[in-house]
């Protein structure tokens, strides 16, 4: 047998990527050169080290050759008696449902599939085929887009059960391994499309950098390793200043910390929210630091928000149980946490309104009321603020709608359009 030209065992040992004896690594295999190399390498290494490998392939169905790719991976696994798992997804339909780009949707779908499969078979790790040049390209792209030490640290060798055994392996070694073992692979046609920034960097810019220094990828990756270690240390220092749980932070704790740690503290706090942090930027962390000094509220990506009151900065997300607009019927209604009575019987704490198609929902930023005697329509946000309702409590305020339009709010009043024209033609809405 030819001597392997890829040797990632030491790298895997360094970062704890080897499963215990009898364990399993689930290998993500697209059918391309890199993932085919990784699958074959892990299969051979597993025979030496006493672990097994399984393969997972997500068929996006986005290219005419997608079925070809799946069949190639299936044949490779059959020849080696490797368990093979696959699914098909409609990426374009998911784009609409998730409101993400095609690229982001494909990535999310792939990792959700990998994690489901790994959990179902009890795999210790999920392995992806990122290699040294992938790492160098990632660092350069992050630099071009603007980033800090975390971004310049590049792709982590291990994160949340995902391992990258080939991250220290140059592309040339993968090519040599493929040739030495006569392995078949497919080429994704989109890899040649220079409309994508990464492809343009790989095909046009990296070759120019190699003419300046043939070791450029290795040096870029070495820099990423240094920054990753320093970044991990600073993150640990920042984490030590945060409360053990929750998304509330005393402002004096934040503002008395070294300036270099404050954005990290805020980033780590934001990571506790059940929303993605992908859209959080340095500008958001600067705004949060300013908020801790001035007080007030701030809208954040993913529907999150920040509130600074009485010396505490709190990050929040919309209540998952927040009800949609719900029709009200005569009698008692329960909508979410609200108990609402709609009747024709007077009650001193009820809202007197005209009959009609009434419904209830949480407030919206565009809501407003024209209160009787006022000079015109005013935003509900301003009206609630004037009545002392803090932003973090506004979602708990029911907005009663007439024919779909905000028309009455407890503690605020009734819109002029919903005031009964005649005393006998009145119904009453009451919270109880």
């Amino acid at each position: 047998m030819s001597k392997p030209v890829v040797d990632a065992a030491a790298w895997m040992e360094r970062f704890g990527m080897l499963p215990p004896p009898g364990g399993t690594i689930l290998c993500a295999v697209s059918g391309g050169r890199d993932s085919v190399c990784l699958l074959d390498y892990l299969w051979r290494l597993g025979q030496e080290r006493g672990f097994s490998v399984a393969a997972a392939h997500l068929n996006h169905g986005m290219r005419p050759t997608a079925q070809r790719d799946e069949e190639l991976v299936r044949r490779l696994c059959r020849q080696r008696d490797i368990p093979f798992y696959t699914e098909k997804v409609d990426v374009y339909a998911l784009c609409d449902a998730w409101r993400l780009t095609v690229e982001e949707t494909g990535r999310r779908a792939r990792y959700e599939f990998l994690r489901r499969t790994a959990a179902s078979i009890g795999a210790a790790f999920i392995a992806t085929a990122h290699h040294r040049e992938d790492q160098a390209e990632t660092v350069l792209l992050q630099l071009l887009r603007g980033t800090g030490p975390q971004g310049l640290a590049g792709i982590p060798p291990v994160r949340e059960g995902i391992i990258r055994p080939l991250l220290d392996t140059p592309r040339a070694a993968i090519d040599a391994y493929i040739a030495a073992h006569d392995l078949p692979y497919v080429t994704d046609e989109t890899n040649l499309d220079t409309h994508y920034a990464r492809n343009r960097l790989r095909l046009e810019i990296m070759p120019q950098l190699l003419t300046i220094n043939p070791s450029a990828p290795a040096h870029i990756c070495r820099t990423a390793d240094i920054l990753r270690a320093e970044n991990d240390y600073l993150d640990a220092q920042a984490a030590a200043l945060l409360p053990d749980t929750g998304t509330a932070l005393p402002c004096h704790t934040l503002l008395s910390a070294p300036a270099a740690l404050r954005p990290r503290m805020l980033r780590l706090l934001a990571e506790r929210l059940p929303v993605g942090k992908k859209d959080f930027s340095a500008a958001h962390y600067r705004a949060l630091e300013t908020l801790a000094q001035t007080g007030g509220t701030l809208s954040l990506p993913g529907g999150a928000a920040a509130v600074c009151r009485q010396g505490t900065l709190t990050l929040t997300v919309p209540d998952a149980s927040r009800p949609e607009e719900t029709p009200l019927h005569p009698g008692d209604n329960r909508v979410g946490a609200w108990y609402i009575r709609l009747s024709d019987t007077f009650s001193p704490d009820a809202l007197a309104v005209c009959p009609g198609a009434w419904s209830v929902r949480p407030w919206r930023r565009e809501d407003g009321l024209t209160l009787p005697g006022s000079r015109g329509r005013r935003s509900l946000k301003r009206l609630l603020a004037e009545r002392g309702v803090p932003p973090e409590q506004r979602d708990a305020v029911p907005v009663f709608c007439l024919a779909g339009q905000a028309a009455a709010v407890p503690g605020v009043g009734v819109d002029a359009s919903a005031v009964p024209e005649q005393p006998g033609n009145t119904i009453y809405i009451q919270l109880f």
Side-chain angles (χ1 to χ4, degrees):
M1 182 181 294
S2 302
K3 182 180 178 180
V5 286
V6 168
D7 187 1
W11 174 261
M12 294 179 71
E13 288 174 347
R14 174 185 170 188
F15 289 101
M17 298 181 188
L18 292 170
T24 300
I25 295 177
L26 179 67
C27 183
V29 190
S30 67
R33 172 194 54 191
D34 305 332
S35 63
V36 165
C37 170
L38 178 62
L39 177 66
D40 188 80
Y41 177 78
L42 290 177
W43 173 66
R44 295 174 188 273
L45 185 65
Q47 292 175 329
E48 298 175 7
R49 300 294 184 101
F51 67 85
S52 60
V53 63
H57 174 88
L58 186 65
N59 187 335
H60 293 100
M62 296 172 63
R63 292 179 286 107
T65 53
Q67 193 59 38
R68 173 208 64 182
D69 300 354
E70 179 184 324
E71 291 305 319
L72 180 137
V73 179
R74 189 186 302 276
R75 285 195 302 273
L76 281 171
C77 292
R78 186 183 303 118
Q79 293 165 1
R80 292 158 178 75
D81 198 26
I82 295 173
F84 175 65
Y85 303 91
T86 186
E87 283 184 10
K88 292 184 179 179
V89 295
D90 185 339
V91 170
Y92 295 113
L94 290 176
C95 283
D96 294 335
W98 293 346
R99 297 183 180 179
L100 298 173
T101 67
V102 172
E103 186 176 12
E104 291 169 335
T105 300
R107 184 181 186 281
R108 174 175 164 181
R110 182 166 61 254
Y111 276 99
E112 286 188 359
F113 161 63
L114 291 171
R115 291 193 182 281
R116 284 197 312 273
T117 305
S120 68
I121 67 174
F125 300 111
I126 298 168
T128 65
H130 296 92
H131 51 71
R132 181 182 290 175
E133 277 76 7
D134 288 328
Q135 177 73 300
E137 291 163 8
T138 297
V139 172
L140 288 175
L141 284 171
Q142 295 278 37
L143 181 63
L144 293 170
R145 292 166 179 162
T147 188
Q150 184 183 31
L152 294 177
I155 306 168
V158 180
R159 180 170 59 192
E160 299 176 352
I162 308 290
I163 62 174
R164 280 93 183 189
L166 301 182
L167 198 58
D168 195 45
T169 299
R171 179 180 286 122
I174 293 173
D175 288 339
Y177 186 96
I178 290 287
H181 294 287
D182 194 24
L183 296 174
Y185 64 90
V186 298
T187 299
D188 183 345
E189 300 87 350
T190 62
N191 288 342
L192 302 177
D193 185 350
T194 55
H195 286 92
Y196 295 102
R198 183 178 287 272
N199 289 349
R200 192 157 64 251
L201 179 65
R202 176 183 301 135
L203 299 172
E204 299 176 1
I205 298 173
M206 285 300 293
Q208 294 298 316
L209 294 180
L210 293 175
T211 64
I212 298 172
N213 188 337
S215 298
H219 293 324
I220 293 171
C221 292
R222 175 57 183 157
T223 299
D225 286 344
I226 295 170
L227 290 172
R228 188 181 309 112
E230 294 180 352
N231 187 67
D232 289 346
Y233 173 78
L234 291 172
D235 270 1
Q237 297 296 304
L241 299 175
L242 296 177
D244 291 337
T245 60
T247 57
L249 175 66
C251 295
H252 70 83
T253 300
L254 175 68
L255 299 176
S256 63
L261 293 185
R262 293 174 201 163
R264 294 174 181 274
M265 294 170 66
L266 293 167
R267 174 174 55 79
L268 293 172
L269 196 69
E271 287 177 357
R272 297 179 180 182
L273 295 171
V275 297
K277 65 181 179 65
K278 180 179 182 298
D279 293 328
F280 280 73
S281 68
H284 292 110
Y285 300 128
R286 287 194 297 270
L288 284 169
E289 187 174 337
T290 299
L291 188 69
Q293 299 168 334
T294 63
T297 62
L298 177 69
S299 296
L300 296 169
V307 178
C308 183
R309 294 190 183 280
Q310 299 179 339
T312 299
L313 178 68
T314 304
L315 307 185
T316 63
V317 293
D319 185 357
S321 62
R322 178 183 171 99
E324 299 294 332
E325 185 169 337
T326 303
L328 295 176
H329 306 285
D332 293 346
N333 299 259
R334 180 177 180 180
V335 181
W338 301 320
Y339 291 84
I340 302 163
R341 180 168 294 153
L342 193 68
S343 73
D344 56 6
T345 303
F346 171 77
S347 176
D349 58 350
L351 293 165
V353 298
C354 65
W358 285 92
S359 58
V360 66
R361 59 166 170 77
W363 83 290
R364 298 172 182 167
R365 292 185 179 276
E366 65 270 20
D367 285 340
L369 295 175
T370 301
L371 298 177
S374 69
R375 294 182 178 179
R377 186 178 186 274
R378 301 184 67 197
S379 74
L380 182 54
K381 177 180 178 181
R382 175 63 62 85
L383 292 169
L384 289 170
E386 289 177 352
R387 287 154 178 78
V389 180
E392 64 270 26
Q393 295 179 15
R394 289 174 189 162
D395 280 347
V397 176
V399 174
F400 298 110
C401 300
L402 180 60
Q405 297 297 315
V409 179
V412 176
V414 178
D415 190 88
S417 65
V419 173
E421 295 181 359
Q422 301 175 2
N425 191 28
T426 303
I427 62 172
Y428 299 92
I429 302 176
Q430 178 186 12
L431 287 175
F432 66 98

